[in-house]
Amino acid sequence: MIGSARNAVVVAMTKNVADELGPYGINVTVVHPGLTLTEHYLAQVDEVAETRGISREQAIQERFATNLLRRPMTATDVAYVVTFLASPKSAAINGDVIAVAGGSPGEIHY
């Protein structure tokens, strides 16, 4: 519940700051990475794999099987999106939320 409240506040702040700074050519966008395969997360995956008696690879595969790409998102995936948003090519994106989670089946966000 705390994480959801925090995320709602970040989105509201992003939109308000974008409204204020947009006329000056300053874009503000929030990036919500979904579950991202990091060293910290790998430690958790290893615990799950050991508890269940499966391999690390199988535990990773099962955990990320629900996104549309059917693979783990990595810090590099998130960095690519942030790099694009920091470039002039993203000028039309302002005050928006960008999810970087590999896609959610069946969900429509607008």
Side-chain angles (χ1 to χ4, degrees), residues 4-90:
S4 295
R6 177 199 62 228
N7 289 344
V9 169
V10 168
V11 170
M13 287 176 54
T14 298
K15 181 59 177 148
N16 286 313
V17 174
D19 289 349
E20 291 290 323
L21 298 179
Y24 300 101
I26 300 170
N27 290 13
V28 183
T29 308
V30 65
V31 174
H32 276 300
L35 185 58
T36 304
L37 192 58
T38 62
E39 293 82 10
H40 176 75
Y41 188 70
L42 279 176
Q44 295 174 347
V45 167
D46 288 341
E47 288 179 26
V48 168
E50 185 176 337
T51 300
R52 293 187 50 214
I54 60 176
S55 69
R56 172 192 261 188
E57 291 72 25
Q58 185 177 353
I60 291 170
Q61 179 79 20
E62 288 176 6
R63 178 58 186 98
F64 289 92
T66 58
N67 75 36
L68 294 175
L69 298 180
R70 306 282 195 271
R71 69 168 181 81
M73 296 302 97
T74 65
T76 301
D77 294 316
V78 177
Y80 287 150
V81 173
V82 171
T83 301
F84 168 73
L85 291 170
S87 78
K89 294 183 184 230
S90 71

